[in-house]
């Protein structure tokens, strides 16, 4: 768990370099979602560059596709594509590394970023797995602002109706979106009770940037039978540096040279704390 926590800070550094090189990116959400992606790809999911065509591979959809930089960084670290090429070519003209997930790249199941689509598509994937008697699991990550989309709740109803216990969703609950505090834009009241009322097994993760807590939550989801599971992961937008943390203005932003210098120093300090 310590090694994965340290890896998350290395990958945060890759994200910052990518955004500076590409002159744009959704940096705040990249930072809040990083431990979730690291836990899925390096601790939980049966997926690798060697198994991308295996019908038994686990499936993942990055529903909050605007946080693609974190997703790309994790996929590159996993070996799906070259990291240096990714950083150099991100968001450049003619590059496949565009600003939302692109399924022309290896390891990406579907294009995403039009919010509210990830969960319904994953319901279809999970239902297909049941019908074909496959062992794979299906995962998706949504933003809390994304939950204002009605298609999310249609998907939630369907997942419960078909008892899709091979489906696990995650809400990146960082409480901020592009226009401010999520609760001020479209409040969610008690998300635990709301998803439970739709027939889901709900797991609250007190610190969604803690890999040990995420590991336990995903293991609990694997043991749940007869209903889909959802992790409500309480995260920090801009996690990793006081320059960015809990600031809505960092939803989409390129750090200045001075800001980047401080951000990298903060990353190194946080990583060293895990090493110690």
């Amino acid at each position: 768990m310590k090694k994965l926590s340290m890896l998350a800070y290395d990958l945060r550094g890759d994200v910052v370099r990518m955004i500076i090189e590409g002159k744009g990116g959704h940096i705040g959400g990249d930072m809040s979602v990083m431990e979730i992606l690291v836990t899925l790809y390096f601790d939980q999911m049966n997926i690798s560059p060697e198994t991308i065509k295996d019908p038994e591979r686990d499936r993942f959809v990055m529903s909050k596709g605007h946080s693609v930089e974190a997703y790309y960084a994790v996929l590159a670290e996993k070996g799906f594509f070259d990291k240096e090429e990714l950083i150099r070519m991100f968001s450049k003209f003619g590059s496949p590394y565009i600003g939302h997930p692109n399924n022309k790249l290896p390891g990406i199941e579907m294009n995403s970023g039009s919010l509210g689509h990830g969960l319904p598509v994953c319901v279809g994937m999970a239902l297909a797995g049941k019908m074909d008697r496959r062992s794979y699991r299906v995962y998706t990550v949504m933003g809390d602002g994304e939950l204002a989309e009605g298609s999310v709740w249609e998907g939630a109803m369907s997942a419960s109706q078909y008892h899709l216990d091979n489906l696990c969703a995650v809400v990146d609950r960082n409480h901020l979106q592009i226009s401010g505090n999520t609760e001020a834009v479209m409040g969610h009241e008690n998300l635990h009770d709301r998803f439970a009322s739709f027939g889901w097994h709900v797991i609250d993760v007190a610190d969604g940037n803690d890999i040990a807590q995420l590991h336990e939550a995903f293991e609990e989801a694997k043991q749940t039978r007869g209903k889909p599971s959802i992790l409500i992961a309480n995260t920090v937008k801009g996690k990793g540096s006081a320059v960015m943390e809990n600031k809505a203005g960092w939803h989409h932003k390129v750090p200045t040279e001075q800001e980047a210098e401080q951000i990298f120093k903060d990353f190194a300090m946080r990583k060293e704390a895990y090493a110690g």
Side-chain angles (χ1 to χ4, degrees):
M1 297 302 160
K2 282 187 176 182
K3 287 182 179 179
L4 291 184
S5 297
M6 293 167 68
L7 174 61
Y9 278 94
D10 288 338
L11 297 182
R12 282 186 169 92
D14 291 342
V15 166
V16 174
R17 285 186 282 272
M18 198 185 309
I19 288 173
I20 291 172
E21 186 69 30
K23 298 181 173 57
H26 291 83
I27 193 167
D30 289 325
M31 301 299 139
S32 65
V33 81
M34 185 59 80
E35 280 80 8
I36 297 169
L37 296 177
V38 167
T39 305
L40 281 170
Y41 274 88
F42 294 93
D43 177 59
Q44 291 293 313
M45 292 198 305
N46 171 32
I47 185 66
S48 70
E50 294 73 37
T51 62
I52 56 176
K53 294 188 181 298
D54 186 345
E56 296 292 352
R57 73 188 184 282
D58 290 338
R59 272 74 165 168
F60 174 77
V61 173
M62 187 69 167
S63 191
K64 52 170 290 182
H66 55 282
S67 292
V68 70
E69 297 86 13
Y71 187 25
Y72 283 165
V74 168
L75 288 174
E77 181 69 24
K78 190 76 176 177
F80 285 96
F81 35 81
D82 182 75
K83 180 180 295 189
E84 293 308 313
E85 179 184 81
L86 165 66
I87 293 172
R88 185 178 69 254
M89 296 298 295
F90 176 68
S91 205
K92 299 290 178 64
F93 180 76
S95 169
Y97 306 108
I98 57 178
H100 286 81
N102 169 22
N103 65 4
K104 292 182 180 179
L105 289 169
I108 296 179
E109 298 284 350
M110 67 167 278
N111 294 356
S112 60
S114 183
L115 297 177
H117 290 182
L119 181 59
V121 169
C122 285
V123 168
M125 291 177 174
L127 184 57
K130 291 284 189 183
M131 295 172 69
D132 292 343
R133 301 184 185 277
R134 297 291 186 185
S135 62
Y136 67 75
R137 292 183 59 75
V138 182
Y139 296 89
T140 188
V141 174
M142 301 177 286
D144 52 359
E146 180 177 0
L147 302 183
E149 299 283 354
S151 51
V152 169
W153 302 101
E154 293 178 48
M157 284 189 290
S158 298
S160 175
Q161 174 71 23
Y162 294 109
H163 309 288
L164 300 181
D165 51 16
N166 57 342
L167 173 63
C168 180
V170 184
V171 176
D172 181 14
R173 186 74 162 122
N174 61 34
H175 292 273
L176 290 173
Q177 57 193 92
I178 191 169
S179 47
N181 185 282
T182 302
E183 301 312 296
V185 177
M186 185 63 70
H188 298 307
E189 301 174 6
N190 190 326
L191 274 183
H192 183 112
D193 289 349
R194 183 173 293 187
F195 273 102
S197 73
F198 275 75
W200 285 60
H201 177 65
V202 186
I203 305 168
D204 295 296
V205 185
D207 183 352
N209 295 117
D210 183 280
I211 287 178
Q213 291 185 34
L214 290 165
H215 169 83
E216 290 182 9
F218 282 122
E219 289 297 314
E220 180 179 333
K222 284 181 177 176
Q223 301 305 315
T224 300
R225 298 291 178 263
K227 58 174 63 176
S229 295
I230 187 159
L231 278 58
I232 300 175
N234 292 283
T235 63
V236 175
K237 192 143 188 170
K239 175 72 175 181
S241 171
V243 173
M244 303 181 288
E245 287 181 346
N246 282 317
K247 297 176 182 177
W250 282 84
H251 179 86
H252 185 284
K253 184 175 170 64
V254 181
T256 65
E257 184 176 343
Q258 184 178 7
E259 288 169 336
E261 182 179 355
Q262 184 59 51
I263 288 168
F264 282 121
K265 285 181 180 178
D266 291 344
F267 288 173
M269 183 176 64
R270 302 276 180 103
K271 180 182 175 181
E272 186 176 346
Y274 284 110

